[in-house]
Amino acid sequence: MARSRQATENVRRALERDHGLLTEAEADALLGDQPRAGLVGVLRDGELRYPGFQCAGAGILSVMAPLLELARANGWDDSNVALWLFSPITSFGGSDRPMDHLDDAKALLAVAKDSFEAEW
């Protein structure tokens, strides 16, 4: 259990280091009138933060809304979605991270559907 928690913490630290975790105020400033509801949020130091890779310019990437809808319909919380996006998986024919495919909504959503709806 301790190793699992440490591995999760290591991923969160890498996510913060590589892409930044926006505070609510920073996300609001970046998004303007656009609501933060379309962003994946993760708890960091007791505060909700938003990984920067989900934003482009002054907006949220269009793939995020259907991705979050699919995740939440399958009981996935935001933190698990963020970890899934940042973690290497073999579904793309290599060991890419899902976030490396944010520009290909169709492929990303197909892989997400398989991942989110998998039953063990």
Side-chain angles (χ1 to χ4, degrees), residues 85-112:
L85 281 163
F86 194 70
S87 300
I89 60 175
T90 59
S91 300
F92 293 103
S95 58
D96 293 353
R97 301 169 301 180
M99 65 171 288
D100 296 327
H101 298 272
L102 290 169
D103 60 343
D104 186 353
K106 185 176 179 179
L108 180 67
L109 292 172
V111 169

Side-chain angles (χ1 to χ4, degrees), residues 22 27-28 30-40 50-68 102:
L22 304 171
D28 287 343
L30 178 69
L31 299 174
D33 293 336
Q34 200 172 8
R36 290 187 316 262
L39 292 174
V40 170
Y50 303 94
F53 65 77
Q54 11 181 18
C55 300
I60 300 170
L61 296 174
S62 61
V63 72
M64 292 309 297
L67 180 68
L68 284 174
L102 290 169

Side-chain angles (χ1 to χ4, degrees), residues 13-88:
R13 286 180 183 169
L15 181 61
E16 184 172 22
R17 179 191 67 234
D18 295 350
H19 300 282
L21 292 175
L22 304 171
T23 65
E24 290 182 4
E26 291 168 334
D28 287 343
L30 178 69
L31 299 174
D33 293 336
Q34 200 172 8
R36 290 187 316 262
L39 292 174
V40 170
V42 296
L43 279 177
R44 189 79 178 135
D45 300 324
E47 183 180 341
L48 196 57
R49 301 284 183 97
Y50 303 94
F53 65 77
Q54 11 181 18
C55 300
I60 300 170
L61 296 174
S62 61
V63 72
M64 292 309 297
L67 180 68
L68 284 174
E69 183 179 327
L70 179 63
R72 291 173 180 157
N74 287 283
W76 282 54
D77 66 23
D78 284 14
S79 184
N80 286 329
V81 174
L83 293 174
W84 178 82
L85 281 163
F86 194 70
S87 300

